[in-house]
């Protein structure tokens, strides 16, 4: 080996793992200084979320050999973040999380470059996400996970035998915590189950029946939800409740107290009111540290092959003793998100406008207000107005022509669907095939492009 | 001001004001502030631990910048303890942070009484010899001790405390305490005075299942010689009786009653876990007994006397389909019984305290109340001295781990983590710590590990070549991600020990960073 024992190096510890051959490693592992340099230069990692997990992830990745990082988060720093989001200080309250987090890590780890994005994940184009080698998720919402998962799976392409094409796989690592518990998982779309394949792991929250709230309240939470869901609308006609407005929260609390007194129910406190209304998940630094570290370690393994990867779901529970468990979940063959895509067969005469209408009527999709992208090119965009205007003229053109007259190809549609009575942004991958056009055209077009 | 409440809101929802107060009173000593130690303290400082003392004798080197977030370019050449301490202080100014620039090994050798001032010592990256010595010191001084070590893609966390008792163990899923198999007179009376046959359908479907079951169980007992359903057929018959009482398909209260009917069939009395606590030798109390054991002694008396074999009632009931009025009535009845049980236990606690010559009021009402509420969930954790474990591990367990596929990597790492210390004692460096003599180190480590297993009375052939190679490849590297994970676990255990809530882990946790099949080894 070229290195001597005494030469001081910043990567003293990491080098042992990256420069030395090993037996319990991935077949792709090629130890050496080249690997170390490649991690620095060519592996771009996106961290989604700059909260409890995101802060830890940025630190862990910056100290695990990665140099090119980006982070996206739409939130601003709040006082209640400070018990675990260690990159933030009291004086940072109100500033965008992504920006402060990126700055703090760059200040301490020289050579690391972190680009912050103070934005909603839905506001970035697909193109943005396609730039990263690996996406690390530090999120606390199912909707956001679902969205990023769909984005990563949208890049996935299959060959003629329905086998995933290696170079189109965009790996994700995902972490989540609640109190002393957490999970870390590795998602390799097309190989391991995607978030949607195992959506049953995240059952929707049980809501109280409205008649219980209105007629037979029994618990403090019933009184709070009565004030929040029923009384608010009765009194404030038209004004929507804002959970972040302390005046609104106070009002709900006071009403809940009155109702609890009326029915002789104990236990309504301001803290409980906030917890119920905002559905606050308890969170502590230690659990976030454990889960993020597991995710960062897996990111390093995926990028370098320096050890086996987690296959594929780790749960951690520290509440009663300590329990860890690795479960190997399997893919859902017919998954709408990571599968080969929903096949839509069309006549070559179908216009883009008609196609968008079909997506709304499609029994499996019900996708309304869809924007359509083909091979990174926007065919029609619902927003912003400038883009809408620019792409509007495409609506009357046949989709077949817009797609370059090929017999079949992947098209991405983003729009809204209704999930659990809630409007959600959805991204759907479609396999569009045109009737009466044979495969030869396909080959010709591909060859000529 | 209101600020700490807001700042700690997300954790107060887990351990409450009392847990927080315990943290804020605690003083923690950290030995060695590499990434494993620094990350452990970071999580505690953020949560508002009372005070920290960082002990490390080394200076920051360039290599430390690659694995420790708490040091930066400007730290190189300076005291590591000082730099880490300064960064930690920045995270939370409510924490008293100080450092001592000294090697922990030296302190352990020359100044053992130093450690007695702390609530808990977190000892990171210590080799076996120092672990054993520190463990004896802390055990003697009654100071809690947590070992943490990161080593390549493996590592360990081990608690060492003579005895840790928990009242608020806060299990996730625990059967509610409704006493449907053994209702007390007031509950029985409430059921008796409720008319299940009420004709108004709205009223009919708002009778809580607790009342339905108590009443139906009573009726059953009357016609079955005082016995409750016990055979499969009887249980089914009982459920069918419940079903027959429904007057509409949408009666959730009856559905809940059918689902909960097993609570009527459940055996009376306390669980075997609680029986074990009661039977513990410590429950024979004297003037030096801990408050916990005095309350257990009171509980033991209570069970034999007014409890009639049942622990004090918890007093809270889960939400269930019910009219508000029925529900509030039920709540009151459960609360009143819990309060009566508490008064009985309190009286016994005071009497015992008097008998052993202590101030009868030396245990507060609040603590006795909490003890009563959690009586069914009491936990006792005891830990062997590491020296005892190292010299004479529980051989049957060790053999089992060595041959169990799920444990083989973890136990392999356990043995190898000890073997590298023997190696280091013999050759003055860890295997693979420096480049060059890798092949020689591998064969030396193998001989050392097989020798170690032999000393313990086990066959050395269970260790795989792959794992030994891997251990040499690690070369004592302290990788940041592994350190953050081990430090995260260590800090979580510290929180459980200090707040006396939840249950700390037993045995030794061995991290397996290869495929994450980590294990707890109870040796
Ligand atoms: Zn899927």
């Amino acid at each position: 080996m070229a290195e001597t024992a005494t030469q001081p190096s910043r990567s003293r510890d990491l080098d042992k793992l990256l420069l030395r051959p090993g037996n319990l490693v991935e077949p792709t592992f090629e130890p050496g200084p080249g690997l170390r340099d490649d991690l620095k230069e060519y592996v771009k990692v996106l961290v989604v979320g700059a909260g409890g997990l995101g802060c830890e992830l940025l630190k862990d990745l910056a100290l695990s050999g990665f140099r090119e990082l980006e982070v996206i988060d739409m939130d601003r720093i709040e006082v209640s973040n400070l018990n675990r989001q260690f990159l933030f200080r009291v004086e940072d309250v109100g500033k965008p999380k992504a920006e402060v987090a990126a700055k703090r890590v760059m200040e301490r780890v020289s050579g690391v470059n972190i680009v912050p994005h103070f934005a909603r994940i839905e506001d970035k184009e697909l193109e943005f996400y396609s730039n990263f080698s690996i996406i690390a998720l530090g999120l606390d919402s199912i909707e956001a996970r679902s969205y990023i998962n769909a984005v990563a799976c949208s890049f996935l392409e299959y060959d003629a035998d329905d086998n995933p094409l290696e170079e189109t796989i965009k790996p994700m690592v995902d972490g989540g915590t609640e109190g002393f518990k957490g999970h870390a998982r590795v998602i390799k779309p097309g190989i391991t189950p995607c978030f949607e394949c195992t959506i049953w792991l995240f059952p929707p929250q049980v809501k109280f029946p409205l008649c219980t709230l209105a007629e037979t309240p029994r618990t403090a939470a019933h009184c709070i939800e009565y004030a929040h869901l029923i009384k608010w609308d009765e009194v404030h006609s038209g004004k929507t409740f804002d959970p972040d407005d302390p005046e609104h929260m106070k009002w709900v609390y006071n009403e809940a107290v009155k109702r609890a007194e009326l029915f002789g129910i104990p236990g309504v406190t301001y803290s409980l009111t906030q917890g119920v209304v905002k559905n606050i998940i308890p969170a502590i630094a230690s659990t976030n540290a454990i889960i993020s570290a597991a995710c960062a370690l897996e990111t390093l393994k995926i990028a370098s092959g320096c050890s086996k990867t987690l296959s594929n779901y780790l749960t951690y529970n520290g509440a009663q003793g300590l329990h860890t468990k690795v479960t190997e979940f399997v893919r859902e063959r017919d998954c709408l998100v990571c599968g080969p895509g929903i096949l839509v067969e069309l006549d070559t005469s179908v216009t883009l406008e008609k196609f968008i209408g079909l997506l709304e009527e499609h029994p499996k999709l019900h996708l309304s207000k869809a924007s359509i992208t083909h091979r990174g090119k926007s065919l029609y965009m619902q927003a912003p107005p400038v883009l809408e205007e620019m792409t509007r003229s495409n609506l009357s053109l046949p989709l077949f022509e817009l797609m370059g007259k090929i017999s079949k190809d992947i098209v991405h549609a983003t729009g809204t669907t209704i999930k659990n009575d809630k409007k959600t942004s959805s991204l759907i991958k479609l396999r569009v095939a045109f009737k009466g056009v044979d495969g030869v055209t396909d080959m010709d077009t591909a060859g000529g492009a | 001001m209101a600020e700490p409440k807001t700042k700690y809101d997300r954790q107060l929802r887990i351990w409450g004001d009392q847990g927080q107060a315990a943290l804020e009173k605690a003083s923690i000593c950290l030995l060695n502030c590499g990434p494993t130690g620094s990350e452990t303290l970071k999580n505690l400082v953020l949560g508002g631990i009372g005070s920290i003392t960082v002990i490390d004798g080394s200076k920051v080197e360039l290599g430390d910048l690659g694995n420790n977030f708490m040091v930066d370019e400007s730290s190189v050449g300076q005291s590591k303890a000082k730099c880490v301490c300064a960064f930690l202080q920045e995270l939370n100014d409510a924490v008293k942070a100080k450092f001592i620039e000294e090697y922990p090994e030296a302190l352990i050798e020359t100044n053992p009484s130093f450690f007695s001032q702390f609530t808990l010592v977190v000892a990171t990256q210590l080799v076996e010899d120092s672990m054993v010595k520190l463990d004896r010191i802390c055990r003697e001084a009654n100071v809690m001790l947590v070992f943490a070590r990161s080593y390549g893609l493996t590592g360990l966390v081990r608690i060492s405390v003579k005895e840790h008792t928990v009242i608020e163990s806060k299990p996730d899923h625990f059967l509610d305490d409704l006493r449907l198999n053994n209702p007390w007179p007031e509950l029985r009376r409430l059921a008796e005075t409720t008319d299940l046959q009420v004709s108004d359908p709205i009223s009919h479907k708002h009778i809580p299942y607790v009342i339905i079951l108590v009443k139906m169980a009573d009726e059953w007992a009357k016609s079955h010689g005082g016995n409750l359903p016990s055979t499969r057929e009887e249980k089914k018959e009982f459920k069918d009786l419940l079903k027959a009482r429904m007057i509409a398909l949408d009666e959730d209260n009856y559905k809940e009653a059918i689902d909960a009917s097993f609570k009527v069939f459940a055996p009376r009395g306390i669980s075997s876990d609680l029986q074990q606590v009661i039977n513990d030798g410590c429950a024979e109390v004297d003037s030096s007994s801990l408050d916990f054991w005095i309350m257990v002694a009171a509980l033991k008396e209570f069970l034999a006397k007014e409890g009639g074999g049942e622990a004090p009632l918890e007093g809270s009931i889960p939400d269930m389909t019910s009219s508000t009025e029925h529900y509030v009535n039920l709540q009151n009845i459960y609360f009143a019984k819990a309060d009566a049980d508490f008064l009985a236990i309190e009286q016994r606690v005071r009497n015992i305290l008097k008998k052993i010559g202590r101030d009868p009021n030396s245990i507060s009402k609040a603590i006795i109340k909490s003890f009563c509420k959690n009586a069914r969930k009491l936990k006792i954790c005891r830990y062997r001295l590491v020296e005892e474990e190292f010299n004479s591990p529980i051989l049957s367990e060790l053999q089992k781990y060595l041959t169990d596929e799920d444990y083989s990597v973890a136990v392999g790492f356990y043995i190898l983590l000890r073997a590298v210390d023997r190696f280091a004692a013999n050759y003055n460096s860890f295997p693979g710590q420096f480049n060059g003599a890798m092949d020689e180190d591998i064969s030396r480590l193998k001989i050392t590990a097989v020798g170690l297993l032999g000393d313990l009375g086990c066959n050395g052939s269970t260790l795989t070549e792959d794992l030994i190679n891997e251990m040499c490849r690690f070369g004592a590297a302290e990788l940041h991600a592994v350190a953050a994970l081990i430090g995260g676990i260590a800090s979580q255990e510290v929180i459980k020990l200090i707040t006396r809530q939840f249950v700390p882990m037993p045995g030794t946790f061995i991290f397996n960073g290869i495929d994450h099949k980590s294990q707890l080894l109870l040796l």
Side-chain angles (χ1 to χ4, degrees), chain B residues 306-346:
Chain B
E306 56 272 53
E310 300 281 0
L313 191 77
E314 198 172 302
S316 53
I317 58 173
D319 187 27
M320 62 190 80
T321 300
S322 167
S323 67
T324 305
E325 196 194 345
H326 274 312
Y327 189 79
V328 171
N329 280 343
L330 263 187
Q331 264 183 329
N332 289 338
I333 281 205
Y334 275 83
F335 180 81
K337 166 71 171 155
D339 201 45
D341 287 355
F342 154 71
L343 288 172
I345 294 255
E346 188 193 16

Side-chain angles (χ1 to χ4, degrees), chain A residues 357-373:
Chain A
L358 285 172
L359 298 182
E360 180 140 23
E361 290 154 24
H362 194 288
K364 275 190 186 165
L365 301 176
H366 293 300
L367 186 72
S368 54
K369 296 213 166 149
S371 298
I372 309 292
T373 322

Side-chain angles (χ1 to χ4, degrees), chain A residues 13 56 218 298 301 318 320, chain B residues 42 169 319-320 478 496:
Chain A
D13 295 73
E56 288 281 336
R218 298 175 296 271
E298 291 313 304
K301 292 187 202 169
Q320 305 293 310
Chain B
K42 180 202 76 191
S169 65
D319 187 27
M320 62 190 80
E478 205 175 345
K496 290 188 278 183

Side-chain angles (χ1 to χ4, degrees), chain B residues 173-223:
Chain B
H173 306 284
F174 207 82
L175 193 57
D176 40 41
D177 194 13
L178 293 176
R179 224 37 86 68
L180 299 182
N181 54 354
N182 198 2
W184 63 98
E186 289 79 8
L187 178 58
R188 204 166 250 147
R189 209 165 304 135
L190 178 75
E192 273 165 19
T193 54
T194 310
D195 180 13
L196 293 190
Q197 321 269 35
V198 58
S199 57
D200 170 35
I202 299 290
S203 305
H204 194 268
K205 70 176 189 182
H206 282 99
I207 301 169
Y209 81 76
V210 166
I211 291 181
I212 297 174
L213 285 176
V214 170
K215 196 152 179 152
M216 297 288 283
D218 230 24
E219 278 178 26
W220 176 282
K222 274 185 195 132
S223 59

Side-chain angles (χ1 to χ4, degrees), chain A residues 1 3-5 8-10 12-14 16-18 20-25 29 56 59-60 63-64 78-87 89-90 104-105 107-110 179-181 208 215-219 222 263-266 271-272 274-275 280-287 289-290 293-294 296-298 301 306-311 314 316-322 324 326, chain B residues 3 6-11 13-15 39 42-43 46-47 61-73 75 87 90-91 153 169-172 206 319-324 327-328 331 379 432-435 438 465-467 469-470 472-482 484-485 488-489 491-493 495-496 502-506 509 511 513-520:
Chain A
M1 248 168 255
E3 270 196 325
T4 65
S9 157
R10 197 182 287 267
R12 174 189 69 200
D13 295 73
L14 203 54
K16 304 252 169 43
L17 213 60
L18 296 179
R20 296 173 169 184
N23 296 4
L24 302 169
V25 296
F29 182 50
E56 288 281 336
K59 164 189 68 98
D60 294 347
L63 292 172
S64 297
E78 293 176 30
V79 176
S80 65
N81 300 148
L82 301 177
N83 81 322
R84 60 198 187 282
Q85 298 174 17
F86 73 100
L87 296 172
R89 311 280 176 267
V90 180
R104 286 277 143 71
V105 175
E107 275 167 11
R108 295 205 67 86
V109 186
S110 72
F180 284 99
K181 290 180 276 189
F208 302 121
E215 286 155 26
T216 56
R218 298 175 296 271
T219 67
H222 292 158
F263 284 92
I265 295 167
S271 168
L272 182 70
Q274 281 188 307
I280 292 176
I281 298 163
I284 51 175
S286 55
T287 318
I290 295 163
L297 188 58
E298 291 313 304
K301 292 187 202 169
C306 69
S307 187
K308 290 180 185 172
T309 37
L310 166 68
S311 182
L314 168 72
Y316 180 93
N317 189 345
Q320 305 293 310
L322 193 164
T324 65
V326 174
Chain B
E3 207 232 296
T6 319
K7 179 159 110 182
Y8 298 135
D9 178 82
R10 297 303 184 269
Q11 66 196 48
R13 290 173 192 277
I14 300 178
W15 52 68
E39 292 293 320
K42 180 202 76 191
N43 302 328
L46 287 167
E61 297 171 16
L62 194 59
D64 298 325
L65 305 190
N67 72 1
N68 195 338
F69 195 75
M70 322 268 155
V71 296
D72 64 8
E73 312 291 314
S75 319
F87 183 85
E90 216 184 283
L91 293 180
L153 290 175
S169 65
K170 300 190 170 178
D172 258 349
H206 282 99
D319 187 27
M320 62 190 80
T321 300
S322 167
S323 67
T324 305
Y327 189 79
V328 171
Q331 264 183 329
K379 287 277 173 200
Q433 188 172 5
F434 303 109
N435 292 326
M438 192 61 96
E465 297 281 336
D466 283 347
L467 211 59
N469 283 359
E470 206 57 13
C472 287
R473 176 185 174 218
F474 296 161
E478 205 175 345
L479 303 166
H480 180 79
V482 174
L485 197 148
I489 293 176
S491 58
Q492 206 175 79
E493 296 306 316
I495 287 167
K496 290 188 278 183
F502 303 93
V503 185
M505 64 180 195
F509 174 78
F511 175 61
I514 296 175
D515 57 11
H516 286 279
K517 288 176 183 159
S518 306
Q519 294 291 357
L520 276 173

